[in-house]
């Protein structure tokens, strides 16, 4: 069975460390139990979790846009929320 490298190694990819943005830094290292759970999850489980997070983000952004732009149609709200989640800076 292939063992993944220790968590600290994954933070420094072969092309050098990823640029750190203060907004996205982890405040603390994940607990070893969390890391073990992440490693144990299947690709399908990880994909479902990612999809759930994406849908949640789109729903939040859609509500923000609905309050800010009440004249926008439902279709426009959905399209712009998806665009903001995928490509937006915040």
């Amino acid at each position: 069975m292939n063992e993944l490298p220790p968590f600290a190694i994954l933070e420094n990819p072969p092309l050098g460390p990823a640029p750190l943005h203060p907004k996205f830094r982890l405040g603390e290292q994940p607990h070893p139990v969390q890391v073990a759970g992440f490693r144990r999850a299947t690709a399908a489980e990880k994909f479902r979790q990612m999809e759930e997070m994406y849908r949640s983000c789109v729903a939040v952004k859609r509500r923000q846009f609905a309050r800010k732009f009440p004249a926008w149609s439902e279709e426009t709200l959905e399209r712009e929320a998806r665009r903001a989640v995928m490509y937006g800076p915040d």
Side-chain angles (χ1 to χ4, degrees):
M1 186 165 149
N2 289 338
E3 285 292 318
L4 292 175
F7 190 76
I9 292 174
L10 295 176
E11 293 176 353
N12 296 312
L15 299 176
L20 292 177
H21 187 282
K23 184 175 179 182
F24 299 112
R25 274 192 203 151
L26 291 175
E28 56 190 49
Q29 291 295 320
H31 192 274
V33 174
Q34 288 176 303
V35 173
F38 296 148
R39 289 182 177 161
R40 217 177 19 253
T42 65
E45 290 169 333
K46 292 174 186 176
F47 184 80
R48 278 193 295 274
Q49 290 172 353
M50 182 271 314
E51 183 181 25
E52 185 178 314
M53 286 187 282
Y54 172 76
R55 289 179 188 270
S56 297
C57 290
V58 169
V60 167
K61 190 55 93 170
R62 190 181 177 290
R63 286 191 298 271
Q64 289 174 343
F65 283 153
R67 280 194 310 269
K68 192 171 182 179
F69 305 105
W72 282 7
S73 69
E74 296 296 317
E75 183 180 293
T76 303
L77 286 169
E78 186 69 22
R79 183 182 65 243
E80 293 304 318
R82 288 175 185 272
R83 185 185 326 226
V85 169
M86 289 300 292
Y87 306 112
D90 49 21

